[in-house]
Amino acid sequence: MQDLVNLINSYVWSPALVYLCLGVGVYFSIRTRFMQVRHLREMVRLMFDGKASDEGVSSFQALTMTLSGRVGIGNIAGVATAIAFGGPGAVFWMWMVAFLGASTSYVECCLGQIYKTNVDGQYRGGPAYFIEKGLGMRWYAITFALATILGCGLLLPGMQANGIASGLNNAFGITPATTALGIVIVLGLIIFGGVKRIARFAEIVVPFMALGYILMAAVVIALNIGQLPEILRLIVSSAVGAEAGFGAMLGLAIQWGVKRGVYSNEAGQGTGPHAAAAAEVSHPAKQGIVQAFAVYVDTLFVCSATAFMILITGKYNVVNPAGGFLANGLPGIEAGTGFTQSAVESLFPGFGSMFVGVALLFFAFTTILAYYYIAETNVTYLLQKHAGSGTAQFLLKIMLLATVVYGAVRTSDLAWGLGDIGVGLMAWLNIIAILMLQKPALKALDDYEAQQAKGIEPEFDPRPLGIENADYWVTRSDNLVDEGDPRK
C-alpha cells in the first residue's frame, strides 16, 4: 500500500506542481499589485467587520473556520517533516509560498463569494460552484467536487487523527484506539449539529489555541534569544544553497518548503473558498482580503513558531539524500511531532511534551471539522437538485468518522502519503480553474478600491462590472434598490 501511495505522489507532487504554486503566487501578486502588502491594515479591520445572519456567518467566524482547516498537523509535524527532508532552508520557502500565496488566497476566496448561492437557508460556495457558474464547465466542477470529497472526506482526516494519536501517545501514553474513540464521540456531536455549530466552535477554540502556541514559542525563543540571529542566517543561507552543510539540498529545500507550505496554509488548494463563501459581507473583496490574512497567521506566525522552537534548540534531524544524516540532533526519532515535543521538553521537562500533545489535539481536531464542512459543501453541490442530499450528508458523516478511526491507528507514513495525494489533486484542479477565472476577482478588487476612494462603504453589484451568473449578488443589489439605498 505504501509503495502505491508513494508512486501516486511522485506524479501528483511532481516539480511541476511545486513551481506552479510559486509561479501562480508571483503572478497574482503582480496582478493584484501586491494586495497582500497594500491591504495589510484593511485585513485586520475587516476581520471584525460584519455580523452573522440567518444565512451566513460573520467575517471573523469565516476566518476562524478557514484557520481551523489551515492550522493543523501541518503546523507542527509538517514543519518538522519539511526540515527533516529539506533542511532549515525549507522554512524560508514556506515563508515565500505564504507571502505569495496570500494573493492567490484572495483570488480564490473572492471568487467563492462572487459565485456563492443560498442552499436550504445557508450560503454555500467554493471552486465547484465558481467553476460551473464562472466557466460554464460543469464536468470540471463535478471533477473538483469528487476530488474534494475524496481528499477532505477520506484522505486528509486520517492524517490529522494520526497526528493526534501520535502526540497523545508520546505525551501521556494514551493508546491510539482510545484516542480514536474519544475523537469520534466529540466530533460526532459537533458535525451532526451543522455549520453554525462548527462556526461557533471554531470561533472560540482557534484564536485561543493559536495564541497559546505562539506564546509558548515566544518563551522558547526568549530563553535562547542569543541564538536567533544565527538561526535566521541558517534558514536564509540554506534556502539559497549557500550553507556548507546543506548546500546540496537546494532543490529539496524548495520542494519540501513549498509542499508543506501549501499543505499548511492551503493557498491555492481550494479549501479556503468554502468557508469564505459562508460569510455575510457587503462586497466579495472584503472576505477575499480577510482570507489572505489567514495565510499569514498560519505560516508566518504558527509555522514559524514551530520552526524556531525546533531549530533554536537543535532538536531535529536532516536526512542526507545520499544516505545517513546531515544533522542528527534526535537520534532514532522519526520526523514529525516528536521534533517539536522534544524541543519544548528540552526547556520544560515533564511539561513540554504534554503541551505540544494538547496543542496538536486542538489544531488537528479543528482541522478535521473544517474538512467535514468542505466535503459536505461539495456533496451539497453534487446533489443540490436531487432528493437524498440529507442521506448523502449522513453517510459522509459516518464515512469521515470511520476514516478518523482508521487513520488514528495506521502508520504515520501512510497517513501523510494519503493526505498529500488529497492536497495535490485539489491544488492542480483549483489552480488551473482560478487562472482561467481570475478576471471577476480582479474586477471586484478594483471596484472595492474605487468605492473606498470615494469615501463610501463598498456594496457589490456584478452587472456594471460585466460579471455574469453571480445571482446572489444581483438579487441582493435589487433588494437594496427596493429598500431605498441611496447608492443604488
Side-chain angles (χ1 to χ4, degrees), residues 64-147:
T64 55
M65 285 171 66
T66 302
L67 281 172
S68 69
R70 288 178 169 154
V71 179
I73 190 174
N75 298 83
I76 298 179
V79 174
T81 306
I83 292 172
F85 296 106
V91 178
F92 174 87
W93 290 104
M94 290 185 77
W95 293 340
M96 187 59 66
V97 81
F99 173 73
L100 297 173
S103 64
T104 306
S105 182
Y106 164 78
V107 171
E108 63 180 355
C109 292
C110 184
L111 289 172
Q113 266 287 334
I114 290 172
Y115 295 104
K116 71 181 180 182
T117 188
N118 190 316
V119 180
D120 297 328
Q122 291 183 348
Y123 294 143
R124 296 283 188 177
Y129 291 85
F130 64 65
I131 289 170
E132 178 179 352
K133 290 186 172 186
L135 296 175
M137 302 169 68
R138 180 157 170 79
W139 65 269
Y140 195 174
I142 291 173
T143 302
F144 180 87
L146 292 173

Side-chain angles (χ1 to χ4, degrees), residues 100-307:
L100 297 173
S103 64
T104 306
S105 182
Y106 164 78
V107 171
E108 63 180 355
C109 292
C110 184
L111 289 172
Q113 266 287 334
I114 290 172
Y115 295 104
K116 71 181 180 182
T117 188
N118 190 316
V119 180
D120 297 328
Q122 291 183 348
Y123 294 143
R124 296 283 188 177
Y129 291 85
F130 64 65
I131 289 170
E132 178 179 352
K133 290 186 172 186
L135 296 175
M137 302 169 68
R138 180 157 170 79
W139 65 269
Y140 195 174
I142 291 173
T143 302
F144 180 87
L146 292 173
T148 304
I149 293 169
L150 174 67
C152 292
L154 274 177
L155 302 180
L156 291 164
M159 181 167 54
Q160 301 292 331
N162 185 273
I164 294 174
S166 174
L168 294 182
N169 184 255
N170 291 340
F172 303 102
I174 300 173
T175 65
T178 302
T179 298
L181 178 62
I183 295 172
V184 164
I185 291 173
V186 180
L187 185 63
L189 291 173
I190 296 173
I191 65 176
F192 278 96
V195 64
K196 292 287 187 176
R197 186 174 294 179
I198 294 173
R200 285 195 296 270
F201 184 86
E203 183 181 31
I204 295 170
V205 173
V206 171
F208 167 78
M209 71 181 189
L211 183 60
Y213 189 74
I214 292 170
L215 286 174
M216 172 56 77
V219 171
V220 172
I221 294 169
L223 293 174
N224 298 272
I225 193 65
Q227 299 180 45
L228 185 59
E230 172 59 21
I231 293 301
L232 291 171
R233 187 204 64 79
L234 177 66
I235 290 172
V236 175
S237 62
S238 299
V240 297
E243 181 66 26
F246 306 108
M249 298 188 69
L250 176 58
L252 289 172
I254 297 173
Q255 178 183 339
W256 280 94
V258 174
K259 185 176 181 179
R260 287 290 168 254
V262 171
Y263 174 76
S264 177
N265 64 51
E266 300 185 2
Q269 185 181 322
T271 50
H274 296 88
E280 181 70 72
V281 291
S282 64
H283 198 289
K286 284 187 173 183
Q287 200 59 32
I289 292 170
V290 169
Q291 297 300 124
F293 187 66
V295 177
Y296 285 165
V297 173
D298 172 88
T299 304
L300 300 185
F301 294 151
V302 185
C303 283
S304 295
T306 299

Side-chain angles (χ1 to χ4, degrees), residues 57 131 230 304 360 368 430:
V57 299
I131 289 170
E230 172 59 21
S304 295
L360 189 59
I368 295 172
N430 181 65

Side-chain angles (χ1 to χ4, degrees), residues 17-57:
L17 180 56
V18 171
Y19 292 108
L20 178 64
C21 292
L22 283 174
V24 166
V26 172
Y27 175 73
F28 282 133
S29 294
I30 295 171
R31 290 302 308 272
T32 61
R33 305 181 306 284
F34 286 88
M35 58 76 55
Q36 66 266 52
V37 178
R38 293 189 300 111
H39 286 303
L40 188 58
R41 182 181 297 180
E42 189 75 348
M43 292 176 188
V44 178
R45 184 186 75 82
L46 290 175
M47 194 189 317
F48 303 103
D49 184 54
K51 299 180 180 179
S53 67
D54 292 337
E55 296 84 9
V57 299

Side-chain angles (χ1 to χ4, degrees), residues 153 184 191-192 372 391-404:
V184 164
I191 65 176
F192 278 96
Y372 169 74
T391 301
Q393 290 181 11
F394 176 80
L395 293 175
L396 174 66
K397 292 179 174 73
I398 299 302
M399 180 178 72
L400 183 130
L401 294 175
T403 298
V404 164

